[in-house]
Amino acid sequence: MSKSRMISDGELAAQLAGAARRLLLQVRDSGTFEGKALGSAGDAMANQFLCHAIRHLRPDDGLLSEEEKDNPERLSKGRVWIIDPVDGTREYGEERADWAVHVALAVDGVASIGAVALPDLDGGIVLRSDKPQALLPMPERPRFLVSRTRPAREAQAVAAALGGELVPMGSAGAKAMAVVRGEAEVYLHSGGQYEWDSCAPVAVAQAYGLHCSRIDGSPLVYNQPNTYMPDLMICRPEWAKRVLAEVTLLARRD
């Protein structure tokens, strides 16, 4: 067996996410770029590293990256790596903390392996699907993660119905991992995303025992011809039925 295959998929995802995290911090700390230019430079460097590594270490697998032209050949593969080199390019360019690196492996359309690096939190951490930890206790009132600039109408309405609190945050990965880390209970998003925005976070969240689905309760399916995903819910399992019921009621009223 080759040395590359001796590394488990979970370990590989975590190593790649961690290495991309370090590259991105080096680019930012160099002071060469700022704002949008910083975001573009970081995206390009991290993408080049991740794609090269995956193609070298897992040559038989498919690959889907936000920063690469889509190759339809992936649709014939049962194993497809789905990556977002910088999830939250705007936040990264603004030197905020709420951005992430996503590395995931979808197997037969299921988000199976994932690693999400949060470079600016707790000195830089990588949350991974192969090493889940126990969830923290919950408060009585649910906290709903929403976009800093475009909070989802459904999330606002459901939070109000359940007496919840809105918590604005940046990237999709940062919001999803905030639920994993016990900083909130519900991430309800209805503004549209792409597969790379959620595959790694969903793999990690599911490993931690969280509920992950579309907002109508149907499964999240990856490696599709159209990579657009209209909506997403990641939440503590204790709140899943009530949140889904409120979304259904809201849809009926509309």
Side-chain angles (χ1 to χ4, degrees), residues 25-250:
L25 292 178
Q26 289 173 7
V27 172
R28 189 185 67 185
D29 294 344
S30 72
T32 306
F33 308 99
E34 60 182 22
K36 290 184 178 181
L38 172 58
S40 297
D43 256 332
M45 180 170 286
N47 182 71
Q48 182 180 28
F49 164 74
L50 290 171
C51 291
H52 178 78
I54 290 169
R55 288 181 176 126
H56 174 66
L57 297 172
R58 295 292 190 268
D60 296 328
D61 294 349
L63 174 62
L64 173 65
S65 169
E66 179 183 15
E67 302 303 322
E68 292 251 316
K69 183 179 179 181
D70 190 8
N71 183 354
E73 184 182 348
R74 66 178 171 80
L75 299 173
S76 66
K77 306 280 189 177
R79 291 167 45 95
V80 178
W81 292 86
I82 301 177
I83 65 171
D84 191 346
V86 182
D87 179 63
T89 305
R90 177 177 178 178
E91 285 76 17
Y92 171 71
E94 293 176 354
E95 301 191 31
R96 293 173 52 88
D98 46 352
W99 59 281
V101 178
H102 297 177
V103 179
L105 173 65
V107 179
D108 296 330
V110 177
S112 302
I113 298 291
V116 178
L118 300 171
D120 281 320
L121 290 184
D122 299 340
I125 60 174
V126 178
L127 296 166
R128 44 198 289 185
S129 60
D130 63 333
K131 294 186 177 181
Q133 299 179 18
L135 297 171
L136 295 175
M138 296 189 303
E140 292 185 5
R141 296 178 58 207
R143 294 163 293 180
F144 284 70
L145 291 148
V146 294
S147 168
R148 292 191 298 128
T149 55
R150 302 180 304 278
R153 183 179 70 90
E154 287 85 352
Q156 292 175 299
V158 174
L162 297 179
E165 173 189 354
L166 297 180
V167 180
M169 192 173 289
S171 79
K175 289 194 280 285
M177 293 304 97
V179 182
V180 169
R181 286 162 52 84
E183 298 169 351
E185 287 64 57
V186 184
Y187 173 32
L188 178 64
H189 179 80
S190 57
Q193 293 178 339
Y194 291 88
E195 291 189 13
W196 46 77
D197 292 310
S198 66
C199 193
V202 164
V204 173
Q206 288 179 153
Y208 273 71
L210 297 177
H211 171 94
C212 301
S213 73
R214 297 277 306 278
I215 65 173
D216 63 0
S218 61
L220 295 159
V221 182
Y222 294 89
N223 193 33
Q224 297 299 294
N226 183 353
T227 59
Y228 179 75
M229 305 187 80
D231 49 60
L232 165 76
M233 186 174 86
I234 297 175
C235 77
R236 291 290 291 254
E238 298 91 335
W239 284 102
K241 286 185 178 180
R242 292 184 66 184
V243 171
L244 290 171
E246 289 294 335
V247 172
T248 299
L249 289 174
L250 182 63

